Structures are given as C-alpha cells and as structure tokens.
C-alpha cells in the first residue's frame, strides 16, 4: 500500500481517524434500532392476534353483518360513531365497541359480580383521559377481557400489571385503513 493511501486512513501515530469510529458507531446504533423495532412489531406485543375483519361502517346494530371472530370483538363492522371514553356502568354494543378500537381505543370489560375487582378496574381506567373504556360485558365467558384493534387478552382474575401493559401497548394507535 502506498504511503499516500496509508495516510488517509490513519493519523501520524498509526491510529484510525476519529470519523471512522463515529461512522462505525452510527451503523451499530442503526442496526440496534432496527432490531428493536422489528422485535416490537412481531414479538412481545400483548394479546392474541386476531384476523383483521375490516372496518365497514353500518348504520345501526340491527343491520345484518358477518359474525365477529372474537367475543368481545376486535375488528369488523361497526357504527359510524364512538362511545365516550371512560367508565360505563352498562354494556356497550359490539358494533359500537369496534369503532372505539379502530380509533385507537382499548376496552376493559368484565363479567362478574365482584365490586372489589370493578373498583380496581375503575381505578386503572381512570388514569387515562382518553382511549380507554371500562364496561360490563355479561355475555362473555371470561371474567375480564381486554380488547384493542385485532388483539384480545382474557383473564380469569385481576392482574393489574397485565392490564396496564396491554393498555400501554395498544392505546392511541389509529387503525383507519387508508
């Protein structure tokens, strides 16, 4: 190798030039960031992934439509408006729930005569000013169900850590198809 070429790559003391180390560092950081995003996209996302049933708007709950692939639903035909965010004391129709999910909402629903559990769920949900709903859902088989767009997690008992993890992972993500 010629002296001229050798001088471009090293300092007079034979060390690599600083910009080479910086470039290598940037490449390593980019590779790590891409790895983290790829893992998040496919890996540790809470809830069972359900097939996306689309986002068809229907005018009322009496309009016939394809059955939902989960109960409570996680996508599919829904009303053209949403339920208010927050705590509800009456069940929310499936067709209304789905629009909230499409708009980035998470529903926390329960089926039990368990005032202590409901009080704790209320406390969890009230930490969020929007994108989270608590409501009873007497027809479901599980005690607690967490739903987001194409995601569902069911619980037989209260697990605050899992509930908060699900909410944090899914709340506020808009799912309108472009």
């Amino acid at each position: 190798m010629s002296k001229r070429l050798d001088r471009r790559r090293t300092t007079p003391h034979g060390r690599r030039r600083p910009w080479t180390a910086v470039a290598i560092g940037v490449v390593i950081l980019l590779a790590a960031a891409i790895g983290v995003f790829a893992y998040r996209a496919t890996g540790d996302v809470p809830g069972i992934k359900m097939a996306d049933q689309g986002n068809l708007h229907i005018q009322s709950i009496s309009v016939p439509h394809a059955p939902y692939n989960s109960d409570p639903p996680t996508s599919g035909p829904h009303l053209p408006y949403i339920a208010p965010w927050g705590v509800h004391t009456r069940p929310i129709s499936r067709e209304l729930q789905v629009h909230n999910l499409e708009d980035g909402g998470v529903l926390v629903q329960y089926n039990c005569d368990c005032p202590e559990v409901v009080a704790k769920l209320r406390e969890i949900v009230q930490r969020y000013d929007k994108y989270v709903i608590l409501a009873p859902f007497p027809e479901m088989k599980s005690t607690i169900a967490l739903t987001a767009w194409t995601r569902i997690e069911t619980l037989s008992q209260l697990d605050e850590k899992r509930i908060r993890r699900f909410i944090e992972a899914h709340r506020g993500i808009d799912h309108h198809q472009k």
Side-chain angles (χ1 to χ4, degrees):
M1 184 178 302
S2 76
K3 279 191 161 197
R4 177 180 227 157
L5 184 57
D6 192 36
R7 267 188 256 137
R8 288 186 200 148
R9 292 187 183 159
T10 61
T11 64
H13 304 290
R15 287 181 266 155
R16 288 186 163 244
R17 294 189 184 236
W19 64 266
T20 305
V22 170
I24 291 170
V26 167
V27 169
I28 290 170
L29 284 174
L30 282 173
I34 289 169
V36 167
F37 286 118
Y39 175 74
R40 273 290 284 153
T42 61
D44 195 25
V45 180
I48 297 168
K49 175 81 170 143
M50 303 299 295
D52 189 331
Q53 292 187 284
N55 64 345
L56 176 69
H57 279 196
I58 57 175
Q59 293 308 305
S60 75
I61 60 173
S62 62
V63 171
H65 58 79
Y68 295 112
N69 60 5
S70 65
D71 197 33
T74 58
S75 67
H78 57 271
L79 297 170
Y81 51 88
I82 64 170
W85 306 114
V87 175
H88 295 253
T89 56
R90 289 185 283 170
I92 299 171
S93 74
R94 290 168 178 84
E95 293 80 5
L96 188 52
Q97 293 178 31
V98 174
H99 200 157
N100 283 80
L101 301 179
E102 181 187 38
D103 283 7
V106 172
L107 271 79
V108 178
Q109 297 179 92
Y110 57 91
N111 178 21
C112 63
D113 182 19
C114 45
E116 314 81 35
V117 170
V118 174
K120 187 62 180 172
L121 292 172
R122 177 186 297 264
E123 182 183 309
I124 294 167
V125 167
Q126 287 177 330
R127 293 179 187 162
Y128 304 94
D129 62 338
K130 58 195 238 183
Y131 299 120
V132 183
I133 289 178
L134 172 65
F137 195 80
E139 297 103 33
M140 70 181 182
K141 293 179 175 107
S142 62
T143 303
I144 300 169
L146 313 172
T147 53
W149 189 257
T150 69
R151 291 281 176 175
I152 187 168
E153 186 161 349
T154 58
L155 307 170
S156 59
Q157 62 187 20
L158 181 73
D159 184 333
E160 182 176 356
K161 185 177 178 183
R162 281 178 67 186
I163 294 167
R164 289 183 344 137
R165 183 171 176 264
F166 188 93
I167 292 170
E168 292 297 326
H170 299 294
R171 124 182 220 284
I173 302 170
D174 189 292
H175 297 281
H176 288 90
Q177 296 173 356
K178 312 276 189 259

